[in-house]
């Protein structure tokens, strides 16, 4: 990474960034401006007016194919967000379509309660028609925006747009297509990810970020602009990993369920089970359709295998009934492991090189989509970055030796994976911006991992090198909507090897301390609905902590069970008045979160609405008058850390009980030492616990066994 010592800031924006913030891909500027202005860059109610017209002449949103898998889910997602603005959602389908919307009702009740669910359902207007002439009632509902979710047949979709445009010439249309480019469809694209009522990620194709896209952001969804190509990033990755598994099956005759286990161990997804879970018939058709079109453009690396063609026609599940599987199991031996990696990683690396070459999107988007939508434990770019350019190239070459036809057409671009030191590659999740005085570090990943740790260190190095002494640490206001703690997948090696655990508990704690030691002022701003576990441990290292008022803050480690290993057992005690110690210990020993507003004065310094919180964070960072008293910071040995806490509820399990003991011991021993010794003490205790039998018998251990012991 190139480092510069000068503190030059471009005059136009007054902001310098390590790399482009992903927020800027939506036309929403830099994250630092949210703090400088004390205002979010887009406002939902103004955008509702822009997209649907003013309240007195409010138009509607139409979702066609609303009883389908995508249509029903998206009807829920939009109706639940638009109801409060008085925007009706028109659910359009054929009279013969099974009631997909009705099936969503129980889920809606779970999320919003019966009253809320009824209100949302009440804002949905269900209409049917014959596919050719639109229902007369639609006129009165003033349709302004059509989200098309009808079957993946190009001519059918095009004819559908004609019907709408003839009746409503100004209507905005977006297709949810799985793979057709916008240039073929003639409309913009908002491509959603499964499960549709919950997943907030959309791949967006449009010439410029539109008011619709900004509205989606303002309503709490995650729109990610991508280029206009055959198929989308998610589908290249998901269909690609499925195809890789199918090819390995063809080469070795290994059953699909076993291929699935090995793919999950290597990368995270189990593509065949996912197809069965989504519904094999529909999912197989969509996977086949994507690959079929991609093969037409890019050649054999994407060609569906005969097995997929057959399943697409029959809809048969990939998995046999459960009772057939455990009877036969085996491990890969010797060279088989290498061959497997070449068959799976080779095509994925090749396909990713193609997407990079085509500049399909911000690298953070390409990376995040795999994690957020395709079950990848780490985004594909993170995996490639870890391997390094040379290993990526040699893996693809090994794959080509196994499958020479995959080299045909222009579909492998080694040049696109050459320069991984660029900030765009180096900072997939963590970015930094500054205005010459104050830096803002943004965490784009919900959970803390080695990737985040390395990137955070580089971001802090960059700010220090730029001469920045004041820093705000926060989310990215885009890809990450909450902070859920450490990525327990990164704990797996620590269950077998105490040194791997120590690397985490020592290394991540050192990073956290930098927030305290390397800057004159550091301010954490918690912008989302929760901040838990390792993320909270990290952020409480800042001199000041502010949070949005409805954020939940907690340390659920004890329930896993693990011992917090980023100084959570002693650091918060050092920063709290002594009479608040029982509350901190209650948090650590029960795992129960507290509301941000209840944590002011002993865990955080201020809580309020998001824009005011941003303004407050800015005034703390700049040193402007803010009227807050600093909490204490005890760097010496804490005296009399209690070895018991009154009024604890019964532990849920013997494991939790054991973890309580270990946490109290850690608080006593690390808290009872001065700061410069405490880090080491807590690192050792937390790592020992990770490598011990109690952790292995808990949920991290269960996940570790399921994922790695195959
Ligand atoms: N299933 C997924 O996970 C997924 C993911 C991303 C995108 N997509 C895309 O979403 C679209 C829909 O897929 P799906 O899986 O929801 O299909 P689906 O078969 O479940 O639903 C399609 C719905 O469209 C209705 N329909 C058909 N023609 C219509 C017309 N002219 N007007 C109104 N309604 C009509 C059908 O009755 C049905 O209810 C496809 O383009 C697909 O590629 C699907």
């Amino acid at each position: 990474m190139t480092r510069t010592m000068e503190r030059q800031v471009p005059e136009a924006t007054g902001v310098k960034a390590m790399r482009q913030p992903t927020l800027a891909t939506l036309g929403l500027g830099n994250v630092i401006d949210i703090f400088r202005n004390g205002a979010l860059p887009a406002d939902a109610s103004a955008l509702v007016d822009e997209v649907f017209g003013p309240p007195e002449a409010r138009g509607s949103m139409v979702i066609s194919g609303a009883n389908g898998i995508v249509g029903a889910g998206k009807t829920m997602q939009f109706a639940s967000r638009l109801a409060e603005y008085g925007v009706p959602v028109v659910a359009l389908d054929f009279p013969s379509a099974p009631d997909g919307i009705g099936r969503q009702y129980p889920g809606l009740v779970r999320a919003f309660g019966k009253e809320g669910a009824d209100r949302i359902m009440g804002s949905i207007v269900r209409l049917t028609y014959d596919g050719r002439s639109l229902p007369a009632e639609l006129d009165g509902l003033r349709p302004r925006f059509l989200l098309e979710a009808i079957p993946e047949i190009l001519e059918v979709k095009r004819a559908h747009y004609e019907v709408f445009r003839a009746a409503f010439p100004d209507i905005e249309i977006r297709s949810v297509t799985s793979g057709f480019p916008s240039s073929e469809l003639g409309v913009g694209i908002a491509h959603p990810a499964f499960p549709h009522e919950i997943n907030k990620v959309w791949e967006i194709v449009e010439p410029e970020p539109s008011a619709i896209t900004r509205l989606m952001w303002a309503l709490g969804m995650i729109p990610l602009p991508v280029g206009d190509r055959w198929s989308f990033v998610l589908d290249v990755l998901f269909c690609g990993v499925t195809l890789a598994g199918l090819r390995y099956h063809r080469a070795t005759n290994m059953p699909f369920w076993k291929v699935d286990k090995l793919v999950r161990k290597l990368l995270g997804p189990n593509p065949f089970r996912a197809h069965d879970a989504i519904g094999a018939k529909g999912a197989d058709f969509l996977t086949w359709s994507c690959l079929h079109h991609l093969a037409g453009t890019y050649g054999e690396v994407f060609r569906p295998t005969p097995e997929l063609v057959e399943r697409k026609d029959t809809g048969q599940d990939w998995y046999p009934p459960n009772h057939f599987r455990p009877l036969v199991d085996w491990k890969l031996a010797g060279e088989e492991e290498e061959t497997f990696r070449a068959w799976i990683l080779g095509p994925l690396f090749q396909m990713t090189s193609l997407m990079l070459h085509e500049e399909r999107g911000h690298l953070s988007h390409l990376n995040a989509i795999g994690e957020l939508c395709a079950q990848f434990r780490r985004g594909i770019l993170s995996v490639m970055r870890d391997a390094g350019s040379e290993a990526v190239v040699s893996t693809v070459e090994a794959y080509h030796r196994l499958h020479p036809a995959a080299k045909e057409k222009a579909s492998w671009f080694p040049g696109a994976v050459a320069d991984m030191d660029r900030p765009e590659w180096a900072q997939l999740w963590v970015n930094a911006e500054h205005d010459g005085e104050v830096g803002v570090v943004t965490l784009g990943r919900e959970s803390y991992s080695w990737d985040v740790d390395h990137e955070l260190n580089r971001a802090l190095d960059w700010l220090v090198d730029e001469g920045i002494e004041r820093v705000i640490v926060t989310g990215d206001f885009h890809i990450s909507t909450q902070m859920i703690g450490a990525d327990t997948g990164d704990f797996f090696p620590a269950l077998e090897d105490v040194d791997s655990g120590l690397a985490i508990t020592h290394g991540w704690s050192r990073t956290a301390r930098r927030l305290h030691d390397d800057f004159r002022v550091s301010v954490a701003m918690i912008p989302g609905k929760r901040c838990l576990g390792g993320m909270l441990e990290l952020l409480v290292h800042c001199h000041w902590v502010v949070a949005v008022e409805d954020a939940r803050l907690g340390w659920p480690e004890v329930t896993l069970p693990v011992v917090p290993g980023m100084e959570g057992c002693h650091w918060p005690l050092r920063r709290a008045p002594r009479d608040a110690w029982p509350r901190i210990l209650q948090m650590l020993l029960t795992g129960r979160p507290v509301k941000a507003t209840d944590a002011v004065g002993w865990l955080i310094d201020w809580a309020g609405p998001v824009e005011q919180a941003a303004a407050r964070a800015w005034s703390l960072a700049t040193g402007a008058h803010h009227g807050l008293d600093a909490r204490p910071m005890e760097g010496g040995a804490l005296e009399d850390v209690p070895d018991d806490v009154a009024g604890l509820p019964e532990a849920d399990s013997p494991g939790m009980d054991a973890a309580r003991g270990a946490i109290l011991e850690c608080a006593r021993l690390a808290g009872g030492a001065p700061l410069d010794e405490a880090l080491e003490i807590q690192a050792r205790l937390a790592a020992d616990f990770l490598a011990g039998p109690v952790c292995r018998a808990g949920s991290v251990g269960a996940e570790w066994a399921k994922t790695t012991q195959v």
Side-chain angles (χ1 to χ4, degrees), residues 507-528:
W508 295 6
S509 299
R510 283 251 166 260
T511 309
R513 283 228 183 162
R514 295 190 64 186
L515 300 179
H516 184 263
D517 298 343
D518 289 9
F519 297 89
R520 184 138 69 101
V521 185
S522 59
V523 184
M525 154 69 174
I526 297 166

Side-chain angles (χ1 to χ4, degrees), residues 190-272:
H191 172 72
F194 191 83
H196 300 288
E197 61 280 20
I198 296 169
N199 199 314
K200 295 188 282 195
V201 175
W202 301 74
E203 288 182 57
I204 302 290
V205 181
E206 50 191 19
E208 294 293 326
S210 66
I212 288 175
T213 299
R214 288 200 294 277
L215 175 60
M216 288 165 78
W217 176 83
L219 293 173
M221 297 186 221
I222 309 173
L224 302 175
V226 293
D228 191 26
R229 305 283 177 173
W230 280 99
S231 199
F232 300 99
V233 176
L234 166 57
D235 301 83
V236 171
L237 293 172
F238 181 64
C239 302
V241 76
T242 307
L243 181 60
L246 284 165
R247 289 203 192 290
Y248 186 71
H249 160 83
R250 273 186 87 68
T252 61
N253 211 21
M254 182 181 276
F256 302 119
W257 63 265
K258 180 71 186 174
V259 178
D260 239 16
K261 279 180 183 256
L262 295 171
V263 172
R264 181 171 63 192
K265 179 179 176 186
L266 183 62
L267 287 169
N270 38 4
F272 296 110

Side-chain angles (χ1 to χ4, degrees), residues 279-296:
K281 179 130 185 78
D284 293 352
F285 171 76
L286 292 180
T287 296
W288 171 85
S289 169
C290 278
L291 292 170
H292 169 75
H293 289 292
L294 284 163

